[in-house]
Amino acid sequence: MIIGITGENCAGKDTVAEYLLKKGFYYLSLSDIIRDELASEGKQVTRENLIAKGNELRAKHGPGVLAKMTIAKLDKGKNYAVISIRNPSEVEELAKTPNFTLLYLTAPAEVRFERMKARNRAGDPLTFEGFISVEKAELASSDKNRQQLAEVFKMSTKKITNDADLVLLHDNVDRMLGEISLEFKSDRPSWDDYFMGIAKMVATRSNCIKRHVAAVIVKDKRIVSTGYNGTPRGTRNCDQGGCPRCNSFADSGTKLEECFCSHAEENSICQAAYHGISIKESSIYITYSPCLVCTRMIINSGIKEVIYNENYPLGQSSIRLLQEAGVKARQMKLKE
């Protein structure tokens, strides 16, 4: 199996390649061919020199030359992760090998720029504007021998958005491997599936007669609090007539001032406070995206990420507010 890895700068290509190494893959980079050429000429291995020499080699020997030279290094019976794929002809050459898959890794430009700043590599752009300018130059070219990353991305058969933590990235890579080879297919659930599945079970404890919702707060892959929607502690359950709004079957979004039920997110946050548990920098798994009231609680409690299964009917403003506050929000549909 050969997994080609492409993507924008700082999207996580090397990180995925390193993870595949742990899975028994061998690592190859098309840029290694260029590095060898630069070394033989006594030139420094800089980003600018790599790009210039790569363009020179393609112009001299054809746009697929780096892939051809890399393929010559492959041994039968081994799995490979191949990075630095920057021209459509390189994809075409690699696609001639058996069991080739091209993975496109991406992430928002703002996230990738922060990663670039954190790595603090000499020669990297110092401003976001400079970062975007360099990226635009690499994405497209009218010269078939130069980098044409945008066209390479279009040729990918798998895509992963790497905008969260390593746990999610590794889960997504595992899922991809299972989709393309039975050798890597596992019935073991990902962490997302695991915690959202628990949230679905917690929802069965809800006593609300309108909708059963649950929340599970997770920190360091450990559940620290759970909650489901229903009337407050010590009062009559909603399904026993305890909430006037729910029992009058009011339309969604109306008569909210008459609702006695606490929401799942609210209850999970309150439970953590009740037991003196910090939820700062935690993640919350919710069976529905949060309302505005719960969104404000999530933000102010220090939760860093919201993962939800279904869209709450009035939840779009909440998602925008979470994003403005710097809280990651993503939908994760649990497989039935």
Side-chain angles (χ1 to χ4, degrees):
M1 185 191 303
I2 301 173
I3 306 292
I5 306 171
T6 188
E8 297 93 350
N9 201 13
C10 294
K13 300 183 289 295
D14 286 326
T15 303
V16 169
E18 289 166 5
Y19 183 64
L20 289 174
L21 279 175
K22 298 177 182 177
K23 298 280 184 180
F25 282 70
Y26 290 81
Y27 176 94
L28 288 174
S29 170
L30 269 60
S31 293
D32 287 342
I33 305 294
I34 308 174
R35 289 187 180 92
D36 292 342
E37 290 288 325
L38 290 174
S40 68
E41 297 173 6
K43 294 181 180 179
Q44 281 188 311
V45 180
T46 64
R47 185 175 181 82
E48 292 76 15
N49 285 346
L50 284 167
I51 292 172
K53 178 55 68 174
N55 291 337
E56 179 187 322
L57 288 171
R58 294 187 193 99
K60 187 175 181 179
H61 302 288
V65 62
L66 300 180
K68 289 180 179 178
M69 295 174 75
T70 300
I71 290 169
K73 298 180 179 182
L74 303 181
D75 292 330
K76 289 183 179 180
K78 292 182 179 179
N79 294 326
Y80 288 92
V82 180
I83 66 166
S84 302
I85 303 168
R86 297 176 174 275
N87 185 283
S89 293
E90 294 167 351
V91 180
E92 291 170 0
E93 291 297 330
L94 289 165
K96 295 175 183 177
T97 62
N99 303 317
F100 173 72
T101 298
L102 182 61
L103 167 64
Y104 169 37
L105 273 174
T106 188
E110 294 79 8
V111 173
R112 293 186 288 105
F113 180 60
E114 290 302 316
R115 290 174 185 164
M116 174 175 280
K117 288 197 297 183
R119 77 183 184 185
N120 196 28
R121 183 183 296 174
D124 281 343
L126 299 177
T127 65
F128 182 68
E129 291 73 19
F131 175 76
I132 294 299
S133 177
V134 169
E135 188 162 273
K136 284 183 178 178
E138 296 179 0
L139 283 175
S141 172
S142 57
D143 186 344
K144 67 177 183 179
N145 294 312
R146 300 179 73 86
Q147 294 188 167
Q148 296 179 339
L149 284 173
E151 293 303 313
V152 172
F153 300 161
K154 292 177 184 177
M155 300 171 78
S156 63
T157 52
K158 296 292 180 182
K159 178 181 177 181
I160 292 177
T161 300
N162 176 28
D163 59 352
D165 57 21
L166 282 177
V167 172
L168 179 62
L169 176 60
H170 292 168
D171 280 348
N172 284 332
V173 173
D174 287 342
R175 185 178 291 112
M176 177 199 71
L177 290 173
E179 290 170 353
I180 60 181
S181 173
L182 291 175
E183 177 186 352
F184 292 96
K185 193 169 183 63
S186 172
D187 293 329
R188 189 184 187 197
S190 69
W191 286 111
D192 270 354
D193 290 328
Y194 175 68
F195 290 124
M196 192 64 79
I198 291 173
K200 295 279 278 188
M201 179 57 67
V202 172
T204 64
R205 282 287 302 166
S206 170
N207 63 66
C208 181
I209 65 172
K210 295 205 71 173
R211 182 185 285 117
H212 290 183
V213 185
V216 172
I217 300 179
V218 176
K219 194 170 184 179
D220 297 326
K221 298 205 267 292
R222 297 291 181 269
I223 295 172
V224 295
S225 183
T226 66
Y228 49 83
N229 60 325
T231 46
R233 186 195 309 271
T235 66
R236 255 192 315 158
N237 287 342
C238 180
D239 55 13
Q240 296 172 335
C243 177
R245 176 183 179 272
C246 291
N247 281 271
S248 68
F249 296 99
D251 292 338
S252 293
T254 66
K255 297 184 179 180
L256 297 177
E257 69 280 359
E258 297 179 8
C259 186
F260 289 1
C261 289
S262 298
H263 286 191
E265 305 94 314
E266 178 185 359
N267 275 333
S268 63
I269 292 170
C270 287
Q271 282 296 313
Y274 185 84
H275 293 286
I277 300 170
S278 172
I279 56 174
K280 184 180 179 182
E281 298 298 309
S282 64
S283 300
I284 186 168
Y285 287 80
I286 322 169
T287 53
Y288 283 86
S289 57
C291 71
L292 272 172
V293 173
C294 289
T295 296
R296 294 196 293 267
M297 294 185 71
I298 287 168
I299 294 169
N300 288 337
S301 67
I303 290 172
K304 67 177 182 179
E305 184 179 29
V306 174
I307 306 99
Y308 59 94
N309 184 47
E310 299 286 350
N311 281 302
Y312 179 62
L314 306 172
Q316 289 309 306
S317 295
S318 298
I319 300 301
R320 289 195 296 270
L321 188 60
L322 288 168
Q323 292 170 341
E324 182 180 345
V327 178
K328 294 177 183 176
R330 57 186 173 87
Q331 186 173 21
M332 181 261 160
K333 297 282 284 185
L334 193 65
K335 295 176 183 177
E336 299 295 339

